[in-house]
Amino acid sequence: MSSIRQRTVVGIVLMLICTLGVVCFLVYRMSKNALEEKNSAIRNLLKLQFEDKRDEAILAEARSFATLAELKVTFRAGPMPDTISPVPNKVSFKEDQLSRSLEESQNEFLQLKSESRDLTTWISKSLEQAQTSLPSPSILLAPYEHYYSEAKLGERNIRMVTLQVPIDHYISVDARAQFLINRFSSSIIGGTAAWYAILPPSPTPSRSQTPPQPPSGPRSNAGVVKRTTPMVTIQVGWDEDNHPTIQRLLRNTEDEADTFKAEGEATLSRLKLSLIGIGLLTLLAATLGVGLIITQGLKPLRRLSEAVSQVSEKDFNLPLKSESMPLEVYPTVEKLRTTLDLLRRAFEREKQATADISHELRTPIASLNATLDVALKKPRSVSEYQEVLQDCRMIGKEMGGLVERIMALAYLDAGADHVKTEEVDASKLLGVCGAISKPLAEAQGLKFQLKLDSDLKLRTDPDKLREVVMNLLHNAIEYNKPGGEIELSAKSWGKNGLEVDVRDTGIGISPDLKDKIFERFYRVDPSRTNTGVHAGLGLAIVKEYVSRLGGTLELASQVGQGSQFKICIPNR
C-alpha cells in the first residue's frame, strides 16, 4: 500500500526532473548556439584581420620596392647653347638591392610600369617565366594612392596591390652627366620638378686631365630646360595559396580560431557540469523540502484519522472542529459527519426494527399461545377444535404476511430483487386492484371510486406496480374516517408513462411527519394494534419499489382532511 506522501513526493520529483531537464537542455542548447555564433563571428573577424594583415604586408612590400625604383635617362643637347636635356629611357629597380628571394620565388610577382608609353615595363622573373604580366588597375590612382585587387594567373589566385608613386632615383647612362643628376635630383620630389642643367663649354680633355667638375656659383637662366618628373605604377602580387607570408598569417589565424573554439568548448563543458550539479542539488533540496511540506500538509488528515478512530457504535459524534481544517479537507469532514449521522440513524432504525419486529411478532404469538392454552384446558368438541384451528390459521397468515414484507425489504437492501419489465395493460391491472379493494372499503363503510383512462399501456414490472397500488389502497382504507371516500385514478404521463393518484379523506398527515412515514415500522397512529399487513412496512416498500421502477412519489396531505399519493411511472 503506497502512501500519499510517497506518491506526491515521487510525482513532484519526477515533474521537477522533467522540468529541470527541459530547462537545462534549453540553457545548454542556447549557450551552445550562442558560442557557435560567437565562434563564427570571431572567425569572420579573424578572417577580416587576416585579410587586413595580408594586404598590409603586400602594401609594405610594395612601398619598400618603391624606394628601389629608378629612372634611367640619357641626355641630349638642349635647345640653348651649352645645355642638355634629360630623356627618360627605362624604369627599373636597383638590381643590386633587390632580394635574391624575389628573383627565386615563384609565388611573388613584381611589376614596374610607367605612365609613359615610351618607357619599358619592368617585370620580375616569376612573370617572365609565366610569360604574362599583371593586369592594369581599373581606376586612376593619385600619387601615393594604392588599390587592392584580385587576379588570376593560370590556375593561381593572386592577391595584388597597385601603388602610384613618383620616381625619386635617377641614373644616367652617360657618366659625364651623372653629376647633374646627383646635384639636382634632390629637387625632384613630388608630382612635378624642374631640372636646371647648364653645361659650360669645355675643351676636349687630354688623357692626363681629370673629368670636368660641375660648375659652382650662381648660374644664369640662359639655356634652361624644364621637364616634369614621371610617375610609375608598382604592382606586387602574392600567390594566395602558396606564398609563405600568407600561409604564416593563415596559420596564425587558424591557431587563434582554434584557441577561441577550444576556450568555447571548455566553457560549454563547465556549463554542462554546472547545470548537472545545480540540477542534482535542486533535486536533493526539492525532495527534502517537498517531504517536509507534505508532512506539514498531511497533519490535518492525521488529526481527522485520529478523530475517526474515536467514533464507535455507541458514539457517532466526530470529535473535530470543522473550522480548524483546511478548505480542501472541510467538505470531506462535512460529508463524513453526514455519513456518520446516516450510520447513527441506520443503527437506530436497526434497533427500532428489531424492537418493532419483536413487538409485531409477540402479539400474534401470544394470541396463538392463548388460543391453544384455552383449547387445551378441557376437552372440546370437534367443532370447537375446528374453530381453534381456524383462529390459529388466521394468526399464522398474519405472521406470514409480516415475514414476507420483512423479507421483501431484505431483498431490496441486498439488491437481489430485480426489476422484470414487460408490456403491461395498466388500465386492466389497476381495475383488478380496485375490484379487490372496493369490497374491503365498503365493509368499512367507505365509498370507493375508480377513474381510469382507457388504453393505458407501458413497459414496467407489473408485480411491483400492483404491490405499490395495493399498499396505498390498504392504507387509505385503514386510516380513513367512517363514511369517508377513496378514489383511485390513472392517466397518461409524459412519453407513454403512467400517473396514478390514490386519494382518501382520512386522518391526514402533519408536515413534520411526511418524511417519517416512509421509514420502516413507522405508523402515523401508534395506538392502532393491527399487525401483519399494517406493521408500518407498506410505505417503505412503496418508496423502494417506485424508486426501482424509475418513478417519483409525491405526498399532499392535510391533517383531518385526508391525503393524496401521486405516483409517476416512466415507460421502460
Side-chain angles (χ1 to χ4, degrees):
M1 181 183 295
S2 60
S3 66
I4 296 177
R5 177 181 176 181
Q6 291 177 348
R7 285 184 295 175
T8 305
V9 171
V10 171
I12 293 176
V13 169
L14 290 177
M15 183 176 64
L16 187 59
I17 289 174
C18 295
T19 304
L20 285 176
V22 172
V23 171
C24 292
F25 174 77
L26 292 176
V27 171
Y28 178 78
R29 192 64 184 175
M30 292 173 64
S31 301
K32 184 177 180 181
N33 292 337
L35 284 175
E36 289 177 354
E37 292 178 359
K38 180 181 178 182
N39 288 335
S40 178
I42 291 175
R43 282 188 172 276
N44 293 333
L45 179 61
L46 291 176
K47 182 179 179 181
L48 293 176
Q49 292 178 351
F50 159 74
E51 293 175 352
D52 291 341
K53 291 179 180 179
R54 176 199 62 190
D55 292 342
E56 289 175 0
I58 299 175
L59 179 60
E61 185 165 281
R63 287 174 175 168
S64 67
F65 285 141
T67 62
L68 302 179
E70 63 182 8
L71 176 64
K72 293 184 179 182
V73 298
T74 58
F75 291 86
R76 63 184 178 185
M80 302 295 292
D82 298 326
T83 62
I84 60 173
S85 296
V87 178
N89 181 265
K90 182 181 180 181
V91 289
S92 63
F93 291 99
K94 298 177 181 179
E95 300 288 347
D96 57 339
Q97 297 185 23
L98 284 176
S99 62
R100 180 174 297 179
S101 60
L102 174 64
E103 297 178 357
E104 297 177 354
S105 175
Q106 299 296 321
N107 302 315
E108 187 171 348
F109 307 93
L110 177 60
Q111 181 172 290
L112 182 62
K113 191 175 182 181
S114 174
E115 61 183 358
S116 175
R117 296 183 180 180
D118 298 332
L119 299 179
T120 305
T121 300
W122 187 93
I123 59 176
S124 62
K125 290 183 179 181
S126 57
L127 287 175
E128 291 178 358
Q129 294 175 359
Q131 296 181 355
T132 184
S133 62
L134 297 177
S136 300
S138 58
I139 62 174
L140 295 177
L141 299 177
Y144 300 102
E145 186 178 3
H146 61 275
Y147 171 72
Y148 297 106
S149 60
E150 304 284 345
K152 192 82 172 177
L153 296 182
E155 295 182 355
R156 295 185 176 187
N157 297 316
I158 306 301
R159 180 64 174 179
M160 55 182 290
V161 63
T162 302
L163 178 63
Q164 186 83 1
V165 294
I167 289 290
D168 57 358
H169 293 285
Y170 302 90
I171 183 170
S172 173
V173 296
D174 186 358
R176 177 174 176 270
Q178 184 64 42
F179 76 95
L180 292 174
I181 297 174
N182 296 334
R183 179 178 180 180
F184 297 106
S185 60
S186 60
S187 65
I188 308 171
I189 302 175
T192 60
W195 290 0
Y196 300 92
I198 304 173
L199 297 180
S202 59
T204 302
S206 63
R207 296 190 179 197
S208 61
Q209 286 181 327
T210 59
Q213 298 298 321
S216 60
R219 304 293 183 183
S220 64
N221 290 334
V224 175
V225 176
K226 184 177 181 181
R227 196 183 189 285
T228 302
T229 302
M231 301 295 291
V232 292
T233 301
I234 299 176
Q235 292 179 288
V236 178
W238 285 1
D239 187 344
E240 290 191 290
D241 299 327
N242 300 306
H243 196 277
T245 303
I246 293 180
Q247 294 302 313
R248 177 177 56 80
L249 293 175
L250 186 59
R251 285 194 299 271
N252 293 339
T253 300
E254 291 178 351
D255 291 342
E256 291 182 14
D258 292 339
T259 301
F260 280 112
K261 183 178 180 181
E263 292 177 355
E265 291 177 352
T267 302
L268 200 61
S269 299
R270 291 194 298 270
L271 175 62
K272 184 190 297 184
L273 294 177
S274 300
L275 290 176
I276 293 174
I278 292 172
L280 293 177
L281 291 176
T282 303
L283 286 177
L284 179 61
T287 302
L288 297 177
V290 169
L292 294 175
I293 293 173
I294 293 177
T295 301
Q296 295 296 324
L298 292 178
K299 281 186 176 180
L301 293 181
R302 287 198 293 271
R303 295 205 308 269
L304 179 60
S305 176
E306 293 173 358
V308 172
S309 63
Q310 299 178 19
V311 177
S312 64
E313 67 276 4
K314 296 181 180 180
D315 185 8
F316 285 91
N317 292 322
L318 188 66
L320 185 67
K321 294 182 179 180
S322 301
E323 297 77 9
S324 64
M325 303 303 291
L327 293 176
E328 293 79 6
V329 184
Y330 181 81
T332 303
V333 174
E334 292 301 313
K335 290 181 180 179
L336 184 59
R337 290 185 188 276
T338 303
T339 303
L340 291 175
D341 185 63
L342 293 176
L343 286 175
R344 179 185 58 77
R345 294 170 62 183
F347 269 82
E348 291 178 354
R349 285 197 303 269
E350 182 180 356
K351 293 178 182 180
Q352 186 65 34
T354 302
D356 291 339
I357 292 172
S358 299
H359 175 75
E360 297 296 336
L361 290 177
R362 183 179 61 184
T363 301
I365 290 173
S367 177
L368 178 61
N369 290 331
T371 301
L372 293 175
D373 290 340
V374 171
L376 293 174
K377 281 185 179 182
K378 62 180 181 178
R380 304 284 181 180
S381 62
V382 175
S383 60
E384 289 177 340
Y385 280 120
Q386 288 179 347
E387 184 178 352
V388 170
L389 291 176
Q390 289 291 340
D391 292 338
C392 291
R393 181 183 179 185
M394 182 65 66
I395 294 172
K397 286 183 177 182
E398 292 178 355
M399 294 175 62
L402 176 61
V403 172
E404 287 180 0
R405 288 179 177 273
I406 294 173
M407 290 297 296
L409 289 174
Y411 276 121
L412 289 173
D413 292 339
D417 191 359
H418 303 291
V419 177
K420 301 176 181 179
T421 60
E422 60 181 76
E423 192 72 24
V424 178
D425 187 347
S427 299
K428 183 178 180 180
L429 186 147
L430 296 176
V432 172
C433 292
I436 296 173
S437 302
K438 186 175 181 179
L440 298 175
E442 291 177 347
Q444 297 290 336
L446 303 175
K447 183 179 180 181
F448 190 90
Q449 295 183 359
L450 188 63
K451 298 180 180 180
L452 305 176
D453 290 350
S454 59
D455 197 21
L456 295 174
K457 295 182 179 181
L458 75 161
R459 287 188 62 82
T460 188
D461 189 330
D463 295 333
K464 289 181 173 52
L465 178 60
R466 183 184 300 108
E467 186 71 16
V468 168
V469 175
M470 290 302 297
N471 270 289
L472 293 177
L473 290 175
H474 286 172
N475 283 339
I477 294 172
E478 180 67 22
Y479 294 99
N480 214 321
K481 296 177 181 180
E485 297 181 359
I486 299 175
E487 181 181 300
L488 173 62
S489 61
K491 61 182 180 179
S492 298
W493 172 76
K495 187 177 181 180
N496 300 324
L498 176 66
E499 178 182 326
V500 179
D501 290 318
V502 177
R503 185 180 61 83
D504 64 66
T505 58
I507 61 176
I509 303 171
S510 61
D512 57 329
L513 298 179
K514 286 184 178 181
D515 293 331
K516 291 184 178 181
I517 63 172
F518 294 103
E519 295 179 1
R520 299 174 186 184
F521 298 102
Y522 183 83
R523 288 182 293 183
V524 176
D525 187 1
S527 62
R528 294 175 180 266
T529 58
N530 297 45
T531 62
V533 179
H534 305 292
L537 298 176
L539 290 180
I541 295 175
V542 167
K543 182 180 179 181
E544 291 290 337
Y545 279 178
V546 171
S547 177
R548 294 297 178 90
L549 294 176
T552 59
L553 175 61
E554 297 179 5
L555 171 60
S557 179
Q558 292 184 359
V559 177
Q561 296 184 9
S563 304
Q564 179 181 0
F565 290 86
K566 180 180 178 181
I567 303 170
C568 296
I569 306 296
N571 182 31
R572 298 170 67 94

